[in-house]
Amino acid sequence: MPKRIFSGVQPTANLHLGNYLGAIRNWVGLQHEYESFFCVVNLHAITAPQDPRELAARTRDVARIYLAAGVDPQVSTIFVQSDVHEHAELEWLLNGVTRLSELERMTQFKDKAKKQRENVLAGLLMYPVLMAADILLYQTDLVPVGHDQKQHIELTRDIAVRFNRDYGETFRLPEPFIPKVGAKIMSLDDPSKKMSKSDENPAGRIALLDDADTIRRKFKRAVTDSGTEIRFDESRPAITNLLSIYQLLTGKTAAEVEANFEGKGYAQLKSELTDATIEFMRPFQERFHSIGDEELTRILSDGRDRAREIARPIVREVMKRMGIAGA
Ligand code: ATP
Ligand code: LTN
């Protein structure tokens, strides 16, 4: 069997540079080495309240972002999670080998539950089981994601190991693929927090559809550290974060980046970073806007058909092993 990758992004809000640099960008390189499945995980989005019309529009926009970033539908399978109902089916089946205590331990659940307080939806707790279903459904080898998803992939492995032990060898064990640079892009207004799309204040993130003026303004206001030297230094997280974004967007090495800014000040760093970001965004956004509705519909329905071909027999096999009708 060819080696496979699977990854996805939730269509919950405007995607930002962190989503691109930590995840989507790496898919583009990997798609030629692996058989690739890139999913818009809209069922995950309803683990928090959503406006139905916005959710539907964003689901298509996230697929457009995949394409604009360079995911090639001739090479990779791009589809919407809810179009392949096997994801929800396998999730329910995997609930039969997942422990409540494992779900309650997940840091993303704890963090998000704290924010939602008494309105925490049951789906938020089950979120990692649906993610495990996404991954295991395709016998995935590698899952390219940002650092925050590592714990969910470890849980996916635990679920797979338990299923294989209790019901016989069925699932392949996936590995995370977390980039060395970019796996955790930090917020521009608080470098102790990750850049996040659910953060109420948009100043901390550069959205992938921000215009040039907005980008310039956000970088101008980005916090910096004390000291004046511009180099990678863990004890100065704000500057290190700006340098990492610059490094990834320009394709330079860390040493080249430091040499470039030697003797220069913060204002120069911010100005060059703004230019590099706008230079990346312009063609990216042009591609985003050039993808027609019909073309997108065709790509997503092709993707759905390819995904279902693989997903269907796996769910059948799992049902058979568990003694559930329909096998
Ligand atoms: P939220 O902050 O609302 O939880 P998010 O911005 O983390 O949302 P997701 O859809 O949960 O967005 O993540 C999509 C992908 O982007 C995942 O692979 C995730 O690891 C990655 N990612 C998210 N934020 C960052 C970040 N700040 N730096 C690097 N990668 C990130
Ligand atoms: N939880 C992921 C999104 C996601 C995902 C997946 C990523 C859902 N299913 C399967 C990789 C593989 C997140 O980024 N928040």
Side-chain angles (χ1 to χ4, degrees):
M1 233 196 269
K3 291 247 178 196
R4 291 214 178 111
I5 58 179
F6 183 100
S7 197
V9 174
Q10 305 181 70
T12 41
N14 293 329
L15 267 63
H16 51 75
L17 267 184
N19 298 133
Y20 174 73
L21 297 173
I24 302 170
R25 178 178 182 269
N26 300 304
W27 306 355
V28 178
L30 290 165
Q31 67 183 337
H32 300 290
E33 286 170 55
Y34 292 82
E35 191 182 350
S36 307
F37 295 83
F38 300 119
C39 185
V40 183
V41 290
N42 59 344
L43 296 174
H44 276 98
I46 56 167
T47 56
Q50 302 294 335
D51 176 88
R53 214 181 298 168
E54 265 178 38
L55 178 59
R58 277 202 191 116
T59 299
R60 290 175 66 85
D61 277 352
V62 170
R64 276 198 176 88
I65 283 177
Y66 293 179
L67 294 163
V71 176
D72 179 354
Q74 306 285 352
V75 174
S76 302
T77 299
I78 302 173
F79 69 106
V80 175
Q81 190 182 31
S82 61
D83 281 347
V84 181
H85 59 66
E86 283 79 1
H87 288 250
E89 269 181 287
L90 183 60
E91 188 234 356
W92 184 256
L93 297 166
L94 294 179
N95 280 334
V97 288
T98 308
R99 297 182 184 141
L100 181 58
S101 60
E102 290 175 307
L103 298 175
E104 284 170 339
R105 261 205 307 273
M106 293 291 112
T107 52
Q108 183 177 294
F109 170 71
K110 288 192 280 188
D111 289 349
K112 294 202 171 179
K114 222 182 284 165
K115 283 188 205 149
Q116 294 178 18
R117 302 221 179 149
E118 68 272 24
N119 298 323
V120 177
L121 295 172
L124 190 66
L125 182 69
M126 310 318 295
Y127 180 114
V129 190
L130 181 57
M131 179 161 164
D134 296 342
I135 295 168
L136 299 177
L137 205 41
Y138 300 91
Q139 300 290 18
T140 302
D141 295 282
L142 205 65
V143 187
V145 282
H147 183 264
D148 60 331
Q149 297 303 312
K150 191 163 177 254
Q151 196 185 32
H152 289 157
I153 298 171
E154 282 159 9
L155 177 65
T156 301
R157 288 174 65 93
D158 292 343
I159 291 173
V161 166
R162 197 170 305 135
F163 189 96
N164 289 349
R165 186 197 64 198
D166 293 351
Y167 294 105
E169 201 58 31
T170 308
F171 294 121
R172 219 186 271 194
L173 302 188
E175 301 275 350
F177 176 95
I178 296 169
K180 281 200 188 73
V181 185
K184 197 169 185 188
I185 299 295
M186 308 312 279
S187 161
L188 299 183
D189 66 346
D190 179 357
S192 69
K193 292 191 310 198
K194 73 163 192 143
M195 188 178 281
S196 160
K197 52 181 147 89
S198 53
D199 200 328
E200 270 165 38
N201 183 1
R205 58 178 174 263
I206 303 282
L208 290 172
L209 299 177
D210 275 350
D211 61 28
D213 285 344
T214 309
I215 294 170
R216 199 166 290 122
R217 187 165 33 85
K218 286 180 178 172
F219 277 130
K220 208 172 257 173
R221 290 195 194 152
V223 303
T224 50
D225 308 286
S226 56
T228 53
E229 236 180 308
I230 298 186
R231 57 183 168 78
F232 291 93
D233 175 354
E234 271 172 35
S235 69
R236 294 162 72 220
I239 292 301
T240 298
N241 189 43
L242 298 180
L243 286 175
S244 301
I245 298 174
Y246 181 85
Q247 181 187 349
L248 290 163
L249 289 176
T250 57
K252 293 190 163 106
T253 65
E256 284 166 347
V257 170
E258 288 186 341
N260 183 64
F261 290 110
E262 208 183 326
K264 294 182 185 168
Y266 288 164
Q268 188 66 23
L269 166 62
K270 286 183 168 186
S271 143
E272 287 189 39
L273 178 56
T274 301
D275 290 347
T277 306
I278 292 171
E279 211 168 293
F280 158 75
M281 290 291 201
R282 200 169 289 132
F284 173 86
Q285 292 178 358
E286 264 169 33
R287 285 193 295 274
F288 176 90
H289 291 296
S290 74
I291 301 156
D293 258 336
E294 258 173 51
E295 184 189 357
L296 185 66
T297 302
R298 187 178 42 74
I299 289 169
L300 292 177
S301 68
D302 281 358
R304 174 201 60 208
D305 293 346
R306 277 193 261 170
R308 286 207 74 186
E309 234 169 81
I310 292 162
R312 208 179 292 134
I314 298 271
V315 168
R316 219 175 286 139
E317 164 93 11
V318 170
M319 284 183 149
K320 196 158 106 193
R321 288 187 182 272
M322 294 181 93
I324 301 283

